[in-house]
Amino acid sequence: MANIVKILAIKDITHDVKSFRVEKPAGYAFTPGQATEVSVNKKGMEEEKRPFTFTSLNEDPFLEFTIKRYNNHNGVTKLLHKLHPGDELIIQDVWGAIEYKGPGYFIAGGAGITPFLSIIRQLHKTNEATKNTLIFSNKTAADIICEDELKRIMGDKFVNVLTKEHHTFYRYGYIDEGFIKENISDFSKHFYICGPDPMIVSLTEILEKMGADTDAVVFEK
């Protein structure tokens, strides 16, 4: 069912990522990690739906989406980044494949961190966040979404990997088989993966090869 909601606040997160807090319809509920389809309530754009994950908590009185702008075409994300508080979005029913099943490793690439933000924030409230490890791959340090918050929550369980920039405080390279062998020793835990499709395919194959239980590897479909 479609719901028209007003934007309450917009905040810059990085140079090309903003968070949007919007009205929460009565009775609307989700599980951390889930998403919905969003479109802009402007003439001609109502049916241009795109999937975005909730980055708020279900108990919050608002809904939040953390959205990266893609400039290579005149798409929905580019339009979203031009909106202002008071503008309206259309949100659909809740869906999503990623759900917390127990302690393990979160592995995210770029905007693939978004399904994990709500989960990690919820785990922080119950003092369970640091039972997990977050491995986050980005091109440069400027691309790291919610870096300060994630450092505060995860501490030394937060591992940043940069693929296009050498940086004193972060790992350089890709999350490949060598990285997995070096940084993960317990393959009986859960693995949560979200990022570009090639990354998901590659990591799923690597983890299964290393002995991870197929049912314990959770990825966004």
Side-chain angles (χ1 to χ4, degrees):
M1 185 179 74
N3 293 274
I4 296 175
V5 294
K6 191 175 292 186
I7 297 174
L8 304 173
I10 301 174
K11 181 182 178 182
D12 289 322
I13 303 298
T14 72
H15 61 99
D16 61 359
V17 176
K18 292 178 186 282
S19 70
F20 297 79
R21 289 190 176 183
V22 306
E23 295 171 326
K24 186 176 185 179
Y28 199 89
F30 64 91
T31 299
Q34 288 189 311
T36 188
E37 288 192 317
V38 177
S39 57
V40 178
N41 193 26
K42 290 184 182 292
K43 190 174 182 180
M45 295 300 295
E46 299 93 337
E47 295 302 318
E48 290 291 324
K49 302 169 188 172
R50 298 292 185 274
F52 295 112
T53 311
F54 304 104
T55 52
S56 48
L57 300 181
N58 184 54
E59 65 199 54
D60 290 334
F62 53 82
L63 300 174
E64 181 187 85
F65 303 97
T66 301
I67 298 174
K68 181 175 179 176
R69 180 186 72 245
Y70 295 93
N71 289 325
N72 53 350
H73 54 85
N74 288 317
V76 173
T77 64
K78 201 168 179 180
L79 176 58
L80 282 165
H81 274 238
K82 293 179 180 178
L83 298 180
H84 304 280
D87 288 334
E88 293 177 339
L89 303 180
I90 304 170
I91 62 172
Q92 307 294 323
D93 291 332
V94 170
W95 59 272
I98 289 184
E99 182 179 345
Y100 187 68
K101 298 177 182 295
Y105 296 88
F106 291 92
I107 306 176
I113 190 68
T114 55
F116 302 154
L117 289 175
S118 183
I119 295 173
I120 289 170
R121 287 166 174 168
Q122 185 67 51
L123 291 173
H124 182 51
K125 294 200 71 166
T126 55
N127 297 313
E128 296 176 275
T130 53
K131 293 178 182 177
N132 301 272
T133 297
L134 171 60
I135 301 170
F136 192 10
S137 175
N138 286 280
K139 291 179 180 177
T140 73
D143 298 314
I144 303 173
I145 296 169
C146 298
E147 180 181 10
D148 290 343
E149 179 187 8
L150 291 171
K151 276 183 179 175
R152 189 172 68 249
I153 291 174
M154 300 301 296
D156 61 4
K157 297 294 189 75
F158 181 29
V159 180
N160 280 288
V161 184
L162 304 180
T163 61
K164 301 292 184 185
E165 178 188 26
H166 289 274
H167 195 290
T168 307
F169 302 109
Y170 308 125
R171 298 286 298 269
Y172 175 78
Y174 290 87
I175 304 174
D176 53 15
E177 187 170 343
F179 181 95
I180 296 296
K181 284 180 179 177
E182 184 181 340
N183 291 275
I184 296 175
S185 56
D186 187 353
F187 290 90
S188 67
K189 290 191 173 184
H190 292 278
F191 291 87
Y192 308 91
I193 307 169
C194 192
D197 289 343
M199 174 185 172
I200 292 174
V201 171
S202 173
L203 282 174
T204 301
E205 291 175 354
I206 291 167
L207 290 170
E208 288 176 1
K209 178 181 176 182
M210 302 295 289
D213 183 346
T214 304
D215 293 334
V217 179
V218 181
F219 55 88
E220 188 61 271
K221 297 182 176 68

